Amino acid sequence: MNTLVVEELADRVVVTLAREKQRNAIDAEMIGELHEVCGLVEHDPKIVVLTSEGEHFAGGADINQLRARTRDDALRGINRNLFDRFAALPLPTIAAVRGYALGGGAELSYACDIRIASPTAVFGNPEPGLGIMAAAGASYRLPTLVGVSVAKQVLLGGRTLDADAALRSGLVLDVVDEPLAAAHALADRIARQAPLALTLTKKILDAPGSHPWADDIAQAVLFETEDKQRRMTAFLEKKK
């Protein structure tokens, strides 16, 4: 791949945005390659750790390409379709964020299940200043992550969230000097859990509204698995 570095490990896939000279701006080629990663993980479900080269996570979409896009391009939902697909990956996704996560870069991080930031991290959506809107998921993901009030401050008021503000608002799990190392430690903890339980829990969490019957059905499926029997038996034997 030309815009990503992809490392496939036994229990996770590490995806590194690799356009450092362009602050990892998301261009059409990167969109295509991220779709390839999604296909890989959909076929063989694994945890995804998303990180970047250099000092910045992603400084936004490639403005040269964005300026040339037309109404028909917008209606195709080029970035939104990718980020929706990324958000729907079966197992948890973790973003390790350094420096700027702006515009499309911020929306890509919002599409991850969990974000861990460095003290230099800055999240923001300056799209209205460029005559457009944040239309790749920010309007429906950011309010669920930080609340409607803070989301409006970012999307309408041009507010950026530094690492401390992102932590206070719940956007990030933690602020650490080495977010990638922290992301791997979290992935280690997640990998010890039951994959099907994680997949069903994620689907239930992401489903709109209340869904008690779906909870019951998912739990019924899990109750009948060998993995549940093995894990509970091991727990009880260890307790004895």
Side-chain angles (χ1 to χ4, degrees):
M1 293 186 177
N2 295 321
T3 70
L4 305 175
V5 176
V6 179
E7 184 181 10
E8 189 171 2
L9 305 177
D11 59 5
R12 73 200 63 172
V13 175
V14 183
V15 181
T16 304
L17 308 181
R19 299 186 74 219
E20 182 178 354
K21 291 182 179 179
Q22 296 81 22
R23 290 183 174 175
N24 299 311
I26 300 170
D27 66 354
E29 187 173 21
M30 184 181 285
I31 290 289
E33 291 183 352
L34 284 168
H35 271 298
E36 290 185 43
V37 171
C38 288
L40 173 72
V41 177
E42 289 162 351
H43 177 73
D44 182 14
K46 292 182 179 180
I47 300 162
V48 175
V49 174
L50 180 64
T51 186
S52 59
E53 291 183 349
E55 298 179 359
H56 300 290
F57 181 73
D62 188 297
I63 301 300
N64 284 320
Q65 292 186 2
L66 202 59
R67 184 176 60 177
R69 287 187 184 175
T70 65
R71 176 187 59 190
D72 290 342
D73 293 321
L75 293 174
R76 287 166 56 203
I78 296 170
N79 289 22
R80 181 191 56 76
N81 282 324
L82 168 68
F83 298 165
D84 285 352
R85 186 179 184 186
F86 201 90
L89 291 176
L91 287 174
T93 55
I94 307 164
V97 179
R98 288 183 176 276
Y100 293 145
L102 302 176
E107 291 182 296
L108 177 56
S109 78
Y110 303 157
C112 293
D113 295 307
I114 301 171
R115 287 148 296 281
I116 300 174
S118 79
T120 65
V122 178
F123 299 85
N125 290 96
E127 285 90 341
L130 296 170
I132 59 174
M133 64 175 284
S139 64
Y140 49 91
R141 287 199 180 93
L142 192 57
T144 67
L145 294 171
V146 301
V148 173
S149 177
V150 175
K152 285 185 175 181
Q153 293 169 36
V154 173
L155 298 176
L156 301 178
R159 178 186 178 188
T160 57
L161 301 177
D162 63 16
D164 289 340
L167 182 62
R168 289 195 305 270
S169 67
L171 182 60
V172 302
L173 169 67
D174 204 356
V175 177
V176 295
D177 290 333
E178 298 296 336
L180 180 56
H184 277 295
L186 175 59
D188 290 341
R189 187 161 72 247
I190 292 171
R192 292 193 289 268
Q193 301 181 65
L196 184 58
L198 289 169
T199 296
L200 292 178
T201 299
K202 180 172 175 176
K203 286 188 177 296
I204 294 292
L205 279 170
D206 287 342
S210 61
H211 28 64
W213 282 106
D215 290 50
D216 291 345
I217 292 168
Q219 189 75 298
V221 170
L222 293 169
F223 272 9
E224 297 300 317
T225 61
E226 292 183 7
D227 200 13
K228 172 245 188 180
Q229 294 293 333
R230 179 182 61 80
R231 287 171 179 271
M232 289 193 175
T233 297
F235 175 83
L236 292 171
E237 289 178 350
K238 183 178 180 180
K239 189 174 180 181
K240 290 178 182 179

